[in-house]
Amino acid sequence: MSNSANRVGVIGAGMTRFVRRAKEAPGELAAKAVEMALDDAGLTINDIDAVCHGTAPDAFDGVHMKGEHLIAGSGGVNKPYSRHFVGGGTGVFSPIHGWMHVASGKFKNCLIVAEEKMSPCVPHPAGAFLTIFDHTTEQPLNLTLLHIFAIEMCRFMHKYGYTEEELARVSVICKKNALGHPAAQIAKETNVEEVMNSPLLSWPVKRLDISPTSDGAVAIVLANEEITRKHCKAPAYIDGVGFRLDTAYWCTRDLAYPEYVANAAGDAYRMADLSNPEKEIDFWEPYDPFDYKALHHMNGLLQDPTGKRVKELLLSGAFEKDGSHPLCPSGGALGVGNPIAATGLMKIAELYFQLTGQAGARQLQKTVQRGIAQAWGDLMQVGTVVIMNADKGTVSTSNKWKEMKKEDLPGTALKSAKDVPFIDYQPDIRYSWDNGMALTTYLEGFKAGKIRGSRCPSCKRMMIPARAFCEECNLKEVNDYFDLPDTGIIKTFTLSNVDWDSSMLGDGKVNIFAVIEIDGTQENMGLVHRLMEVDPKDVKVGMRVKAVWKPEKERTGSITDLDYFRPLLKSDATDVKPVRVKPVELDSVTAKSFPGKIPLDYRYTAGVAGVKFYEDLAQGKLTGTECSCCNTVHIPPTAFCEKCMVSLDSDGKAKELDPDKGKIVGFTVVTEDRSGEPLAKPEVMVQVGFEGATGTIFGKLETEDPSKVKTGMGVALQASRECGPNHLIFK
Amino acid sequence: MDVAVLGIGFCGSFPKSEGLSYRELIRRAAVMAYNDAGIEASQLEGAVSCEEDFVSGYSISDEYVPDQLGVQKKSVYTICGDLLHGLSSSVMQLKTGQFKLIAVSSYSKASNILTKNEVLNFAYDPVWNRFDVTPNYLAGIEMQQFVEKSKYSADDVAQVVSDSKAKGLSNSQAPYGANLSASDVLNARSVASPVTEPMIARPSDGAVVFVLGTEETAIKKARKPVFISGTGWSSGNSIIERRDHATSPGTANAAKMAFAEAGISNPNKDLDGIYVSDLYAHRCLMHLDAMEIEGGLNGKINPDGGSLSNGDLIEANGGARLYDAIAQLRDEAGSHQLSSPKRVAVQGWRGLPTDSCSVVVVDRERRIQS
C-alpha cells in the first residue's frame, strides 16, 4: 500500500451523550449527531454527496435491516446511502468506508454516521450475543460474549503473565480520562482496589473490567483535500487505513495475540508510510471494551507477539494521559461508554479533536501530530485501524468542541423504558439450518459418541468441526473423515457466574467453559465445551481432559451429545489414534438440518416525537412537528426534519391537526396475519393524509364493507390510550 | 482507472438446497468464480459480502464470511445491501488505488428461514408500521397507488408475471418458470389487494460470487473480462409515510448516477439488455419507469425470467441478474442469449419495506479511458 492519490480529511464531528437507556428512537439519536457534525463542518445536508452508516447487530435496536430504518435519521434520504458492518469493528471501519467514497474520487465528501441503541433488547442486550456463535456447533452450549472475552482474557494472562491487578490499571486510566469527555457515561476517579472488588462475573472478568451497554450516536464529515483545506488551516487527514478479518473458527487459533489487528495496522502503517510507528504515533485509541483488550490490541498495534513492550509501557505509567504513550485519552469504551459502532467513531472523533486542538480538558499537553484508532469485533477476529495526521501539528482553529459540556450534548437518559410510552414486541424468528455434507458427518459422529474431524489433503491439518473444504488451502476439497480421540488439553477457560442472557446463575453455581485442543489434531485445533467433575479452583491451562458422553439413547446428533469434559484419569486410555471413517452419504433422509431461533424480546421507547404523539392521541388529539426551515408539518411527527436535518421541537412546536379530517391516499385488503397465516376475516390497511401536513399515518380501517373503500374517502383517527401501530385505528 | 469483473460463479437457484450447508453453497460459487477468473483464493486481497443478520441467522453475520471465500486474514467487510450495493463499494475500494483484486459475494438460504414473514415484519418501524397483519401490506398499498397513478393497469402487472415466467422456461437455472396467463395471475389468491400470490417472487436458495479487479489485473488474468462503466445507488425515504409509493426515487437517482458515469444519455437506445428487480411484479414496471425505459417488459428486459422465475435470493438478487448480464455479454447465456449485447444495465432493489436501489452498467469492451 502507498498513499492514496486523493487525500481525505475530517472536517466536522457530532455526537450524543452515551447513556444506558435513551428516550430517543434510533433515528433521533443519529439525527442529533448528524446535525452537530454538519454544523461543525459548516455544511447543510444539501452539501453532502453521500452517506454511509455503521451500526452493529440488528439484534440490539431490534429492527431487521436497521441500516434501512436509520436512513432518514442519518440524512440519507434520496442520497447514495449504504450500511457497512464488521461487528464491533464497525465504528473504526466507518471512516474507512467513507474514505473509499472520497479517496476513489467518486464523491467530494461523505457523511459518516454510527448509531447504536442497545437498550430495546430485554432483559439484557448481552442476550443478543448468544446468536453470534455458530448456530449448529456452539449455540447449543448457551454461550455469550462475556464467556468468550473471559476465555480470551485467561489466555492473554497465561501467555503474557499479567495479574488481574495489572490489567485493572487500564480501567482506572480510562475512567479517569473520561472525566473530561462531555459524552461520558461512567467516568470516575477509581483505583485498582475498587476494580478488583467489583462483582466477579466470569473469572477473570469483574464488573469494572467491562465497559457498559449504551445508547448513542456519533457522526463525522469527510471531505477531499481541496474542501478540507478550505475548511481548516490546520486540518486532520486520514493517512492510513487497514482492516482484516480472521477465520470464524475461533477455537483454531491462539487467542492471546490478535494477528488480525497486527496485519490491519501493518496495512495502515504502509499506507501512511510509517517505519517506526511507536515513535511516530503520538497517542493511541485502541478499542477497550474490557481493560485487557486495550493491551491485547496494543500488542497488535505494536506488532509485538512477545507482548514485552506493552507490559513495560503499562507498568512504567507511559499509558497515563501525561505519559509518553497516552492510551485512550478520550476515556474509551471503559469510561465514555460503549454503544458499539458509535464508540469506534467516537475514537475517530477523538483523533480529530486532539489533532485540531479541540479536546478541551482532555487535550494532551504535548504537541501531537499523529494518532491511531482501532476497533475490534466479531468472534475475536476483526481488526480495523485508522491513522490520522495533522500536517502542521496541533493548531487550534475552533473552540466549539474545546468548550463542549455534557449539558450541551443531546441525548435523554431514562431510568426505565416504562417511564414513557413504550411498545413490547416478541419476534418469532426460527430457522432450520442445512448441515450439508461435513456437518452432517460431524454431528453423526457425536451421535455415535465420537469427535469427528476431516483432514485437508494439502496442508494435512486435521480439522474440527469437520469441513468439506480447507479454508487455508484455496478452498481445497476435503474428503477424508476421521474419528478422533475424545481427549484433549485445556488451552484456556472461564469460571462463569452468569448465564447467556447476563443473568446471574445464583446459589454459588459456576459454569466452566474451556477451549480444548483435541488429541490427534495439531496445535490450536480445538472446540469450546463445558467442563465438570472438577473443583473450579483446580482448573488450569494445560490440564488433560476427556469427554463424557450422554447415554446413547439420549443422543440426537448435537454438540451436546458430548455432555461435558472432565479431568483425565490415570485409568483412561491415552493411546487412541484417529480412525478413518466413511462420510455420510447424503439423501433425503440423511441430509439433516439443525434448529435455530432468535431468543430475544424487545421493549421500544416511542422516541421523543412518538412519546408526544401517543400522549396526545390518548386525549384524542393529532399532532405533528413543524420544520421552520422548509415550512412543513411532519406526520408522523419526528424530532428532526429529514429534508433539512435540523432538530424539531416535538413538544414546544407541536402542530395540532384535525384527527377527523383524514383522507385515504392508499389502501389494501390483507388476508394474512404477520406470520403469513390466514386471517379470520380480511383487514383493511390504509394510508391516510391530513390537510396541512406532509406525510401520512398508516393504520387499520374499521369497516363492514372493504369493497367500498376508495382513495379520497374521509376517515377519522381514533383516540387510543395504548401505544404502538396496532392502536392506530381509523373509522 | 477502470474496474472489471474477472470471474463469475453462481450456485443456484434452488427452492431448497438441503445437501449443502451455507458454507458449502458459497464455497461452490467461489470456486467457480475463481476458476473463471483464472486465480486462486490466495491471490485475493479481500472480499465484500452482502447480507443481513436475521437472514443469515447470526447476530454478527459478517463473522461467517471469510472461510468459504478463502479470504480469512484478508481485508473483508460486509455491506448490508443487495450485491449491487456491495459491488459499488468494491469498485470504490479498487479505485482508491490501494487494492487490485477482491471478491464480492452474497447468498440466500431462504429455505432455512422457517418464519420469513416474521423476519420481514421485523424490518418495519416498531413505533409506527409494524402491524399484526402480513408485512406484504405495503406491497398492496404500493401496487394500488402505482396502478392508480401510472400508465399501467393491474392487467399490465399480471402480464409481467406471465411473460417473466415464460422467459424462465428458457433458463435452465430458473426453478419457477411456468406457463401462466395474466388472467390466471389476476384470479389467484389475494395476499394484499391488488397483489395476488403469483405476483410475489417465491423464495430461493443460491450463492453468487464475483471477482473484481483493476483493468490492469483483468487484462493480465481474465479469460473474458467485463468492464464496469457505471455504478449508482440511492435510498428513498425510510419514513414510509412520507414516500410516494407509486414511484421509486431510489431507482431514479441510482440510474441517473450510473448512467451519467457510463455516458448513457438515452437508456432505451444505449442499452442492449436491462435487468430490473421484480420481487413484486408491479415493482418491475415501477423500476423501468424510474429508469426511463419505455415499452414495458420487452425481450431485452430480464431475459433470464427475473426473480419471478428464478426466485427471491434476498441480497443475492441483483447478483443473480448481474451474473446473467455478464453471461450475456460473453455470449454464454445459452437458450436465452440476447443477440450480441454490448452494454447492459442491472438494477437491484432490497425489497420491502425499502426503496433502496442500485444500478450497475457493464460493458463487453472497455469504454472509459484512464
Side-chain angles (χ1 to χ4, degrees), chain A residues 2 68 78 97 106 131-132 134 244-245 247 378 431 434 471 474 614 668 672 674 687 696 700, chain B residues 42 54 59 62-64 67 72-73 89 98 109 118 127 132 145 189 193 231 235 241 350 356:
Chain A
S2 59
E68 298 294 326
N78 293 329
H97 193 215
K106 179 116 176 160
T131 53
I132 69 171
D134 187 284
R244 295 290 188 111
L245 183 60
T247 174
D378 293 359
Y431 309 92
D434 292 329
E471 71 276 10
N474 290 311
Y614 282 107
T668 181
E672 297 176 356
R674 77 180 218 200
Q687 183 185 5
T696 54
K700 283 183 193 170
Chain B
S42 58
F54 287 114
S59 266
D62 79 279
E63 296 165 348
Y64 295 91
D67 297 308
Q72 72 285 10
K73 300 183 184 172
S89 277
Q98 302 294 324
K109 265 284 191 181
E118 282 279 340
V127 180
D132 56 9
Q145 293 189 33
R189 187 175 70 87
S193 67
T231 59
S235 293
E241 292 89 343
R350 297 201 66 200
S356 287

Side-chain angles (χ1 to χ4, degrees), chain B residues 103 133 172 209 217 229 260 273 344:
Chain B
V133 302
S172 58
V209 176
T217 318
S229 50
V344 176

